[in-house]
Amino acid sequence: MSDVEEMTGTRAPAAAVAERMTGQQKLALAVLLGAQFMLAADFSILTVSLPVIGDSLGFSLDSLQWITTGFALPAAGFTLLFGRIADLFGRRKVFLLGIVLLAAASLVGGLAQSSTVLVAARVAQGVATAISVPSALSLLTTTFPEGPLRQRALGLNGALLGGGFSAGALLGGALTELFSWRWSFLINVPVALLVLIGTLVVIPEGRSGARTRLDVPGAVTVTGGLLALVFGITTAGHQGWAEPAVYLWLGASVVLLVAFWFIELRSPNPLAPVRVLRRTTVRWGNFGGFASIAMATAISFSTTLYMQKVLGFSAFTTGVAIGLPGILTIVGGTIAPRLLARIGAPAVLALSLVVQSVGYAVLLLLNDGSTGVVLVLAALAVGFFGHAYSLVSYMVTATSGLPDEEQGLATGLTTMSMQIAITLGIPVVSAVISARTSALEETESATDAVLGGLHAGVLVNALFLMASAVIVWLFLGRGRTAATAGGAR
């Protein structure tokens, strides 16, 4: 692959690159996208149902957070490991294992009669997600050759990822209100069975025969480091950043991840070859995706707080108001490949971060009046549309230029960025909102203090996205320009 192709995330037109999907590829895409939508919805499907679940199974207020933390820990901690295992031992086998585990865990969760069993089911769902998401993505990237077809497939994948996050809250609220919170778990079972059958029928096995030994020291240190990182972040989200345990966990994470880096430098069979981690497209593509996803989850939290604490809306109404703009995520993802083909994935990634920054900045105008709902819908519509382009362009950027035998690693890294972003965005912005609200409570009314805190959180969100756009353009877009100029010469 040429320098231009690597930096732009596109290939020059060639007769060898197919422009149309075969029937087999279309069927494979339908199966994989169905799985990705289900897995994305699982991130948010229980959000609206948490209070109801707590009352039903006797969760204390302190222990209720383990329904989300129990899922987030393994989902982020094990994703890089299982992405690489998929490369070494067969992507379809690993993907099937994850789907079977997800179906079993969802069944147990739906039938749970105690808080302990339900948390165990959520942990198992998190492990299933860590197994399934990177293997599904690597099956997708190896099913479609790098170029227009892969961009189209990743565009649809990004659309359904974003749509799944939005639909999860809507679906969870509807199922809980119409039937029972248990259906937020049980609905996964028939869908998982359909995905299982479809995978066996239409998706061929793919594996690398180059290396069969697993880098155990690397696996232990990176998994331990990621688990410590996520646990530290979630502890901060629930107990505050002043809690000493937060920094003990974050310090342990730093030590383990540094150890992982040096282990990979010396390992004859590295879990994550350092040459891959050092690639500009891998590093900064994942950074752009991290920024977009972290701030999208944070803005969803901020608008939820606004609509419930300031406007007094119910949880279900809030879910509908936030979920409706999510439709534009699906629209954006489906048309994103056209812009990628014109200006390249790195440029689209930087531009999408700017769009999100501007869209979310509209929320600085929020007040306690009736126009607030209109502002929320407008801001989220623009921001989520840009977010869809980010999802597609960061995945294209971060997986481009790597051979098929390393696609599990590449998609494991993109999934890891996604999981950590989901975990980190809310606690950090929540800390900003809480600090500003507390500072204003002495001089302002309770409503005005909350609004002031929300404005501070939105400002941090918008500034971080704009700074991230500049960083992505400097390290990816500038390289693209230089590569293009070199090609012209």
Side-chain angles (χ1 to χ4, degrees):
M1 188 178 189
S2 71
D3 290 340
V4 175
E5 291 165 351
E6 179 181 332
M7 295 310 301
T8 61
T10 61
R11 283 186 182 273
V17 178
E19 295 293 337
R20 294 184 179 275
M21 295 184 188
T22 65
Q24 183 80 3
Q25 286 176 324
K26 290 179 181 178
L27 290 172
L29 182 63
V31 171
L32 293 172
L33 292 183
Q36 291 284 54
F37 184 85
M38 174 182 63
L39 292 163
D42 263 359
F43 285 113
S44 55
I45 196 168
L46 292 181
T47 303
V48 177
S49 312
L50 287 178
V52 179
I53 296 172
D55 293 340
S56 176
L57 296 183
F59 278 89
S60 67
L61 190 60
D62 291 338
S63 62
L64 196 61
Q65 56 101 2
W66 279 103
I67 296 177
T68 53
T69 302
F71 181 93
L73 277 171
F78 291 104
T79 185
L80 183 59
L81 172 62
F82 283 112
R84 196 60 177 140
I85 286 175
D87 278 338
L88 299 179
F89 303 113
R91 299 180 184 95
R92 191 178 74 154
K93 291 188 184 73
V94 173
F95 178 64
L96 289 171
L97 173 64
I99 295 299
V100 169
L101 178 58
L102 180 68
S106 298
L107 181 61
V108 171
L111 300 177
Q113 299 299 318
S114 71
S115 59
T116 302
V117 172
L118 187 128
V119 169
R122 281 297 276 172
V123 171
Q125 282 188 322
V127 174
T129 297
I131 296 172
S132 302
V133 172
S135 55
L137 274 172
S138 60
L139 281 170
L140 191 149
T141 56
T142 53
T143 298
F144 297 94
E146 190 171 334
L149 284 185
R150 183 182 291 182
Q151 289 181 9
R152 199 178 310 159
L154 287 175
L156 292 169
N157 180 75
L160 289 185
L161 276 178
F165 290 132
S166 300
L170 280 171
L171 186 60
L175 289 172
T176 300
E177 191 162 300
L178 296 175
F179 303 104
S180 163
W181 63 263
R182 296 182 181 278
W183 280 99
S184 296
F185 283 93
L186 295 176
I187 194 170
N188 281 337
V189 178
V191 177
L193 289 176
L194 289 174
V195 170
L196 191 68
I197 294 168
T199 302
L200 289 170
V201 172
V202 304
I203 298 178
E205 181 58 275
R207 63 173 296 174
S208 168
R211 187 161 60 246
T212 57
R213 295 185 60 185
L214 184 65
D215 172 20
V216 175
V220 170
T221 50
V222 73
T223 302
L226 292 172
L227 287 172
L229 174 64
V230 175
F231 191 71
I233 294 167
T234 53
T235 301
H238 296 294
Q239 299 182 24
W241 290 92
E243 177 65 34
V246 170
Y247 299 97
L248 289 175
W249 283 109
L250 294 180
S253 171
V254 171
V255 170
L256 287 168
L257 292 176
V258 169
F260 167 71
W261 179 269
F262 284 104
I263 287 170
E264 298 308 280
L265 283 173
R266 293 167 173 77
S267 174
N269 300 300
L271 181 74
V274 171
R275 61 176 174 77
V276 174
L277 299 178
R278 283 175 170 164
R279 284 179 65 94
T280 301
T281 49
V282 169
R283 188 186 312 159
W284 297 111
N286 277 291
F287 170 77
F290 167 84
S292 176
I293 295 166
M295 293 302 99
T297 57
I299 213 70
S300 295
F301 167 78
S302 301
T303 49
T304 297
L305 189 64
Y306 169 72
M307 297 187 73
Q308 293 187 11
K309 296 293 186 183
V310 177
L311 299 184
F313 286 2
S314 69
F316 180 71
T317 303
T318 301
V320 172
I322 294 174
L324 285 176
I327 296 172
L328 286 175
T329 307
I330 299 176
V331 176
T334 56
I335 63 178
R338 299 177 188 176
L339 187 59
L340 265 67
R342 279 176 167 266
I343 65 174
V348 172
L349 181 54
L351 179 61
S352 68
L353 293 169
V354 172
V355 171
Q356 289 171 86
S357 176
V358 173
Y360 299 152
V362 171
L363 297 174
L364 290 170
L365 302 175
L366 287 178
N367 53 43
D368 58 357
S370 57
T371 58
V373 177
V374 177
L375 289 173
V376 167
L377 291 173
L380 294 186
V382 174
F384 287 174
F385 188 76
H387 179 59
Y389 277 81
S390 291
L391 289 175
V392 180
S393 54
Y394 107 86
M395 287 185 182
V396 170
T397 302
T399 59
S400 294
L402 293 171
D404 282 357
E405 59 267 21
E406 292 179 341
Q407 283 297 316
L409 169 61
T411 55
L413 288 167
T414 61
T415 306
M416 181 186 72
S417 300
M418 183 188 306
Q419 303 284 6
I420 294 175
I422 291 169
T423 307
L424 183 61
I426 291 176
V428 170
V429 173
S430 175
V432 173
I433 294 172
S434 297
R436 182 59 178 162
T437 301
S438 298
L440 291 174
E441 282 176 341
E442 299 179 2
T443 58
E444 305 282 348
S445 67
T447 298
D448 287 342
V450 172
L451 277 171
L454 288 169
H455 290 158
V458 168
L459 182 61
V460 168
N461 193 309
L463 289 176
F464 180 72
L465 283 167
M466 191 63 73
S468 299
V470 173
I471 291 170
V472 167
W473 178 249
L474 287 176
F475 288 98
L476 282 175
R478 185 178 62 180
R480 170 185 175 269
T481 303
T484 305
R489 288 193 301 268

